[in-house]
Amino acid sequence: PRDIIRKFVCRYNGEQVFGAELHQAISANPYISFFTVATETGTLEFTWEGDQGFAQTEKMNLTVGAA
């Protein structure tokens, strides 16, 4: 059975910096690209949600140093 990704959200320290709603006619393997500015050390959290209750979350720590 199909399980299409319907929603993608990226949060930086809990604040949403990017979000997209995807539909079945977009692509079999969509490529998503976006930009944000890291102003402080924190966590990026990526969440995908799909049909039939599918959900996946990945986190990445981001360290901002002096330039």
Side-chain angles (χ1 to χ4, degrees):
R2 72 180 195 175
D3 198 2
I4 298 172
I5 294 174
R6 295 290 186 183
K7 184 176 180 182
F8 172 77
V9 174
C10 179
R11 290 182 176 81
Y12 177 47
N13 285 338
E15 181 179 338
Q16 183 173 328
V17 294
F18 180 81
E21 287 189 26
L22 306 172
H23 304 277
Q24 68 187 40
I26 290 178
S27 173
N29 296 299
Y31 177 81
I32 299 173
S33 177
F34 64 94
F35 297 90
T36 188
V37 177
T39 57
E40 61 187 23
T41 296
T43 302
L44 284 169
E45 182 178 297
F46 307 94
T47 303
W48 297 263
E49 296 176 9
D51 292 341
Q52 304 174 25
F54 167 83
Q56 177 72 35
T57 300
E58 296 290 332
K59 294 182 180 181
M60 173 185 250
N61 292 325
L62 184 66
T63 302
V64 174

